[in-house]
């Protein structure tokens, strides 16, 4: 047990750096995923047929294949076209992956807004785009916050998979330490603790946001 | 003001409106009644193109509106609509509901829209409710806000789609009072309702729909005391 705490302490600075990488991967990929998700969801709800086909293809492929395959495909595939750093290959893969799930969240929330809202907006002379922006989206986005929070937490943990394209983040650092010291159980436990701490922080922030949305309407 | 010629509407195989002709004169109050499924709400919704006609012509202010070539949002600016289920915007205060379209559609300066909005809320008896959210209001209050919201666009005609059907009985009166005062101010109105008392008192003309067609129409006194069409007689004997 003493060796566990010694290992925890001695690797703390390195893990802090790795945690910062995990945070950047997660943060940047989720911001991109929100943009991707919103664009695709809006494409789907326009009712334009070919946009819906694109949406179904995107969501179908991403949900139908494992994230690790998508990461590998992007990392080794994209180098044939452009040279991308491991960080950006990983970030973009994570963004495209989360984007599909977030698109589904947005689509569901937009479609859950009572259709009388759009009718009322249109009856007041609003164009559909204006009604979407002013009336539908504010209501839909508020409903999207709890499932989005869930997706953010999944995204944070999924970022561990970019360890396999050589990015030094929490999980790959644990693998390296485990391999060198042969203390696999200890270092994977340490990895778990770091993820647990980060998820706890994200959960806390999300619950604050939800409370604020409740009181602010 | 509004003219409808040989309007047909289908929902799939269901022939809902079967060649309706209707004309509404300026300042006229037309009340449409009929059994559920007779097509009265569909007809009303066709008038501001929330439902698209399949055949026939609709003229607003003397101009034919062809949904393929006319920007419908421009037409709807002149045609106010009040819904059975209010459809207030829940994420906005009462006053924000009222000024939303004037500010973002008509581009009226916000301060001016607020001033006008407060006047309208005063008019529907809710001058003190501007800063609350719709969820805090009773059904009758919500419907009065919805009326103020539609009036804020200064429409030339107001459509009411069963405006009191979702209300508790004791709240019906306050909404009908607002509608009466609107009629007295000379607003052109087309009202779908089951409130026969209102029809009798306020309508200039009662239109009775049966099975997608206008079976009978006339001034309320004659219609209610001496209906001609057997379906109208049957309907009135059930509701009066």
């Amino acid at each position: 047990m003493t060796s566990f705490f010694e290992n925890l302490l001695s690797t703390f600075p390195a893990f802090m750096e790795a945690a910062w990488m995990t945070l950047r991967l997660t943060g940047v990929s989720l911001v991109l995923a929100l943009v991707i998700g919103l664009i695709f969801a809006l494409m789907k709800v326009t009712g334009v047929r070919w946009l819906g086909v694109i949406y179904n293809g995107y969501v179908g492929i991403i949900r139908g294949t494992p994230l690790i395959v998508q990461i590998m495909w992007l990392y080794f595939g994209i180098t044939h076209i452009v040279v991308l750093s491991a960080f950006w290959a990983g970030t973009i893969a994570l963004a495209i992956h989360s984007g599909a799930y977030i698109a589904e969240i947005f689509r569901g929330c937009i479609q859950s807004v009572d259709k009388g809202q759009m009718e009322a907006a249109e009856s007041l002379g609003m164009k559909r785009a204006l009604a979407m922006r002013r009336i539908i989206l504010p209501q839909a986005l508020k409903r999207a916050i709890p499932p989005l929070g869930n997706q953010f937490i999944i995204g944070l943990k999924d970022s561990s998979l970019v360890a396999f394209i050589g990015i030094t983040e929490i999980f790959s650092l644990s693998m390296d330490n485990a391999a060198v010291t042969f203390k696999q159980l200890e270092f994977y436990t340490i990895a778990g603790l770091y993820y647990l701490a980060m998820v706890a922080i994200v959960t806390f922030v999300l619950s604050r946001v939800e409370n604020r949305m409740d009181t602010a309407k | 003001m509004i003219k409808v010629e040989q309007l047909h509407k289908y929902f799939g195989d269901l022939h809902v409106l079967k060649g309706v002709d209707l004309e509404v004169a300026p300042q006229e109050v037309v009340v449409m009644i009929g059994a559920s499924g007779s097509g009265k709400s569909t007809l009303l919704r066709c008038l501001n193109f929330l439902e698209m006609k399949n055949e026939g012509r609709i003229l607003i202010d003397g101009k034919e509106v062809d949904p393929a070539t006319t920007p419908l949002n421009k037409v709807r600016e002149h045609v106010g609509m009040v819904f059975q289920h209010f459809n207030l915007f829940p994420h906005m205060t009462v006053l924000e509901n009222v000024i939303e379209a004037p500010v973002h559609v008509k581009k009226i300066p916000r301060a001016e829209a607020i001033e006008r909005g407060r006047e309208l809320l005063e008019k529907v008896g809710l001058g003190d409710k501007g800063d609350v959210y719709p969820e805090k209001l009773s059904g009758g209050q919500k419907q009065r806000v919805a009326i103020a919201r539609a009036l804020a666009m200064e429409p030339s005609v107001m459509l009411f789609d069963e405006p009191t059907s979702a209300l508790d009985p004791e709240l019906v009166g306050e909404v009908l009072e607002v509608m009466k005062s609107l009629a007295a101010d000379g607003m052109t109105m087309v009202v779908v309702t089951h409130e026969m008392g209102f029809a009798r008192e306020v309508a200039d003309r009662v239109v009775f729909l049966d099975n997608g067609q206008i079976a009978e129409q006339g001034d309320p006194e004659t219609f209610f005391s001496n209906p001609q069409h057997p379906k109208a007689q049957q309907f009135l004997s059930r509701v009066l």
Side-chain angles (χ1 to χ4, degrees), chain B residues 139-158:
Chain B
Q141 291 172 325
K142 284 181 191 171
Q143 197 58 298
R144 287 185 280 151
V145 173
I147 293 171
R149 179 177 69 176
L151 289 175
M153 288 299 281
E154 300 180 322
S156 45
V157 53
M158 287 278 284

Side-chain angles (χ1 to χ4, degrees), chain B residues 94-95 98 113-130 144-145 147-149 151 174 178 181 185:
Chain B
V94 163
L95 184 64
V98 175
I114 288 174
E115 192 183 329
R116 173 94 180 107
R118 290 207 185 278
E119 281 170 26
L120 283 166
L121 287 174
E122 204 70 53
K123 186 184 161 92
V124 298
L126 294 169
D128 56 336
K129 298 287 185 194
R144 287 185 280 151
V145 173
I147 293 171
R149 179 177 69 176
L151 289 175
E174 61 190 65
V178 169
S181 80
D185 290 347

Side-chain angles (χ1 to χ4, degrees), chain A residues 116-117 119 122 134 217, chain B residues 45 76 87-89 91 100:
Chain A
Q117 292 288 306
E119 288 187 351
E122 288 197 288
R134 296 280 314 164
K217 259 256 125 329
Chain B
R45 288 164 60 82
R76 292 186 182 120
N87 297 348
L88 293 181
F89 306 135
H91 58 303
E100 175 66 17

Side-chain angles (χ1 to χ4, degrees), chain B:
Chain B
M1 173 102 331
I2 293 180
K3 196 172 178 190
V4 174
E5 292 173 356
Q6 280 304 305
L7 195 73
H8 287 265
K9 171 71 188 173
Y10 299 83
F11 289 124
D13 288 335
L14 195 64
H15 198 173
V16 187
L17 296 176
K18 301 170 181 169
V20 173
D21 293 297
L22 179 73
E23 198 163 347
V24 181
Q27 307 208 332
E28 193 180 16
V29 177
V30 173
V31 171
M32 299 202 287
I33 61 176
S36 73
S38 60
K40 54 196 191 307
S41 277
T42 305
L43 174 56
L44 193 77
R45 288 164 60 82
C46 283
L47 297 182
N48 72 346
F49 305 91
L50 287 178
E51 300 292 350
M52 292 300 168
K53 66 183 167 78
N54 295 104
E55 289 162 43
R57 286 163 27 107
I58 298 174
L59 292 84
I60 309 273
D61 287 331
K63 276 174 296 197
E64 180 173 1
V65 180
D66 176 3
T69 54
T70 319
L72 293 177
N73 59 306
K74 289 290 166 203
V75 177
R76 292 186 182 120
E77 283 183 37
H78 305 289
V79 182
M81 176 102 175
V82 175
F83 298 87
Q84 181 178 355
H85 294 289
F86 329 127
N87 297 348
L88 293 181
F89 306 135
H91 58 303
M92 297 179 178
T93 65
V94 163
L95 184 64
E96 285 167 349
N97 264 274
V98 175
I99 67 169
E100 175 66 17
V103 170
H104 291 279
V105 177
K106 272 192 167 175
K107 311 284 184 198
I108 288 172
R110 197 177 168 83
E112 198 179 307
I114 288 174
E115 192 183 329
R116 173 94 180 107
R118 290 207 185 278
E119 281 170 26
L120 283 166
L121 287 174
E122 204 70 53
K123 186 184 161 92
V124 298
L126 294 169
D128 56 336
K129 298 287 185 194
D131 298 321
V132 307
Y133 284 92
E135 65 170 3
K136 299 274 186 241
L137 302 180
S138 71
Q141 291 172 325
K142 284 181 191 171
Q143 197 58 298
R144 287 185 280 151
V145 173
I147 293 171
R149 179 177 69 176
L151 289 175
M153 288 299 281
E154 300 180 322
S156 45
V157 53
M158 287 278 284
L159 311 177
F160 294 82
D161 188 7
E162 304 199 22
T164 59
S165 296
L167 299 178
D168 291 338
E170 76 271 20
L171 302 175
V172 169
E174 61 190 65
V175 172
L176 293 182
E177 279 309 315
V178 169
M179 291 168 65
K180 279 180 205 168
S181 80
L182 262 184
D185 290 347
M187 175 61 78
T188 311
M189 295 163 64
V190 184
V191 184
V192 170
T193 186
H194 296 289
E195 294 295 328
M196 296 304 144
F198 175 83
R200 197 162 205 155
E201 190 181 341
V202 184
D204 296 308
R205 180 154 50 106
V206 175
V207 172
F208 175 75
L209 273 99
D210 178 61
N211 196 21
Q213 285 174 317
I214 295 179
E216 184 170 348
Q217 55 180 315
D219 70 275
E221 216 30 66
T222 319
F223 176 80
F224 283 110
S225 56
N226 189 19
Q228 300 299 311
H229 195 280
K231 282 292 183 59
Q233 292 166 355
Q234 208 178 56
F235 177 78
L236 287 179
S237 72
R238 264 182 289 140
V239 297
L240 288 181

Side-chain angles (χ1 to χ4, degrees), chain A residues 184-197:
Chain A
Q184 286 90 349
L185 189 60
E186 287 186 18
F187 276 102
Y188 290 124
T189 305
I190 288 173
L193 289 175
Y194 280 105
Y195 282 113
L196 204 55

